[in-house]
Amino acid sequence: MRIFVTGATGFVGRALVDNLIADGHSVIAGVRAISAELPVEVEQKLVGDLRLLLDEQNTFTDILKNVDVVIHTAARVHIMNDNSVDPLTEFRKVNVTATHELAKQAARTGVKRFIFLSSIKVNGESTDNREVFRETDEPFPEDAYGQSKLEAEQALFELGHTSSMEIVVIRPPLIYGPGVKANFANMINIIKKGIPLPFGAVANKRSMLAIDNLVSFIKLSMTHTAATNQIFLIADGEDVSTTELLKKIAKAYKKSSRLIPVPVSWMIFFAKLLGKQNIAIRLFGDLQIDIGKAHRVLGWKPITSMDQQLKKMFEWDINSNTTKH
């Protein structure tokens, strides 16, 4: 198949590009910078920010000709401390307007399927005191990023109903794997340094998603007829507490988990005093996902466990450091 991947040098995009090439697909990579490093097997590189599509005179139609599937991973990502005067407007420019324009151009050029990487934040921020998240839930985004992803989904499905292009929406939770950045990478670095953490008594439950499991699901959704115009919530299928996660990371990286059992109520209290409620939600709250639909409708099952993915991350880190030196 001929596949166009946006955000091809991002954490998800690069893993996807490498995997698709290994499977023998022809890949066109959408990147923001001409200096972006990609596998030599990439058929073509499209350089340009999605914001270009905000100008109606700009078009990606030439690159989209003869493309079978678009996998749209590029986005203005969630920012913990967003300093924009109007964050929702900024998120909408890329995540809604540019996404919709890309999809319209894809539909006009005959692309068969458009796969959109959305976010579990469309469902909400946590499952504290409620049932696990499902595709049938009423959307309840609580920030500008989640709202923009919901609006993008709605625009795509509307386009799907008025064109022959099929839409697939995937709402993942936190994704981790080799090369992960941001908070997950920070946790790994803290464990590697042996810094004690006050998270030895956290009993929450959170669903996460190994990059290998996400890639396997995306590949399945490229061709499965039952995926047409559907939303899927996917995760590893093994929910863990913050305490369990840190212990698993320590084990994979061959370090001791120096976790002090401080009462969660104390930490939540101090987090609120410091204005860090969002961080507290992620560290101590529940976020559980029911992946039953993916199994019932597509027959999908996770291909790797959290322990296996963490071990792969450790091996990747070792190899990367060896290469640098």
Side-chain angles (χ1 to χ4, degrees):
M1 297 177 70
R2 197 160 184 258
I3 303 164
F4 177 42
V5 178
T6 70
T9 55
F11 171 52
V12 173
R14 182 54 193 267
L16 189 57
V17 167
D18 290 345
N19 211 283
L20 293 173
I21 288 173
D23 286 350
H25 294 291
S26 178
V27 176
I28 299 170
V31 298
R32 294 177 64 180
I34 195 167
S35 59
E37 295 184 5
L38 290 163
V40 294
E41 297 89 348
V42 166
E43 176 192 330
Q44 196 171 350
K45 181 164 67 173
L46 172 65
V47 180
D49 194 299
L50 281 175
R51 290 174 182 268
L52 291 171
L53 294 175
L54 299 177
D55 184 343
E56 294 180 356
Q57 295 181 344
N58 293 321
T59 176
F60 289 178
T61 51
D62 286 344
I63 207 88
L64 290 166
K65 289 177 181 176
N66 301 314
V67 165
D68 298 299
V69 177
V70 171
I71 305 175
H72 186 36
T73 75
R76 185 176 193 269
V77 298
H78 173 64
I79 304 169
M80 285 295 292
N81 297 304
D82 198 327
N83 296 318
S84 302
V85 176
D86 187 353
L88 182 55
T89 295
E90 294 303 311
F91 278 117
R92 279 174 169 157
K93 287 178 182 177
V94 175
N95 297 354
V96 184
T97 306
T99 292
H100 190 211
E101 182 58 33
L102 174 64
K104 287 192 292 184
Q105 293 182 15
R108 286 198 297 268
T109 55
V111 171
K112 299 179 182 67
R113 184 165 287 194
F114 191 100
I115 300 173
F116 177 57
L117 197 67
S118 186
S119 169
I120 195 59
K121 290 171 77 68
V122 171
N123 286 69
E125 292 293 333
S126 78
T127 53
D128 289 348
N129 304 312
R130 58 152 293 163
E131 292 188 2
V132 299
F133 284 142
R134 296 182 175 87
E135 292 84 354
T136 52
D137 293 341
E138 188 73 24
F140 190 68
E142 298 180 43
D143 65 7
Y145 173 74
Q147 180 64 31
S148 71
K149 286 292 191 177
L150 171 60
E151 292 177 10
E153 289 183 13
Q154 293 168 335
L156 290 173
F157 282 124
E158 184 177 340
L159 177 63
H161 291 144
T162 58
S163 72
S164 61
M165 188 171 69
E166 300 165 348
I167 306 298
V168 181
V169 168
I170 303 169
R171 293 181 190 164
L174 185 149
I175 305 165
Y176 65 98
V180 69
K181 307 292 185 184
N183 292 335
F184 208 102
N186 291 336
M187 284 193 293
I188 293 172
N189 288 331
I190 289 171
I191 291 292
K192 287 163 69 174
K193 291 176 181 177
I195 299 172
L197 291 169
F199 304 137
V202 185
N204 60 338
K205 289 294 180 183
R206 297 188 72 85
S207 300
M208 299 183 190
L209 181 61
I211 188 72
D212 287 354
N213 287 332
L214 174 59
V215 169
S216 77
F217 185 84
I218 291 174
K219 292 198 297 180
L220 178 62
S221 66
M222 291 192 312
T223 57
H224 203 301
T225 55
T228 302
N229 298 328
Q230 294 291 322
I231 296 171
F232 293 98
L233 274 58
I234 60 169
D236 291 339
E238 49 176 319
D239 300 344
V240 297
S241 68
T242 298
T243 300
E244 291 168 334
L245 173 62
L246 292 168
K247 288 180 177 179
K248 284 177 176 289
I249 292 173
K251 181 180 179 181
Y253 279 76
K254 306 182 188 306
K255 299 290 183 179
S256 297
S257 55
R258 303 180 67 185
L259 304 178
I260 303 167
V262 176
V264 171
S265 58
W266 294 8
M267 292 188 286
I268 292 176
F269 174 76
F270 285 111
K272 288 181 178 179
L273 285 181
L274 297 171
K276 303 294 184 180
Q277 293 94 327
N278 289 336
I279 294 176
I281 289 173
R282 287 165 178 77
L283 287 174
F284 312 127
D286 296 330
L287 194 158
Q288 293 181 274
I289 292 173
D290 182 348
I291 63 173
K293 178 180 177 181
H295 178 62
R296 292 190 307 272
V297 176
L298 304 186
W300 178 79
K301 292 181 179 180
I303 64 169
T304 192
S305 68
M306 176 173 280
D307 288 335
Q308 290 170 330
Q309 189 75 101
L310 290 171
K311 181 181 178 182
K312 188 173 181 179
M313 291 166 65
F314 169 69
E315 293 169 349
W316 183 88
D317 281 354
I318 293 296
N319 293 332
S320 296
N321 291 331
T322 301
T323 302
K324 289 176 183 177
H325 293 93

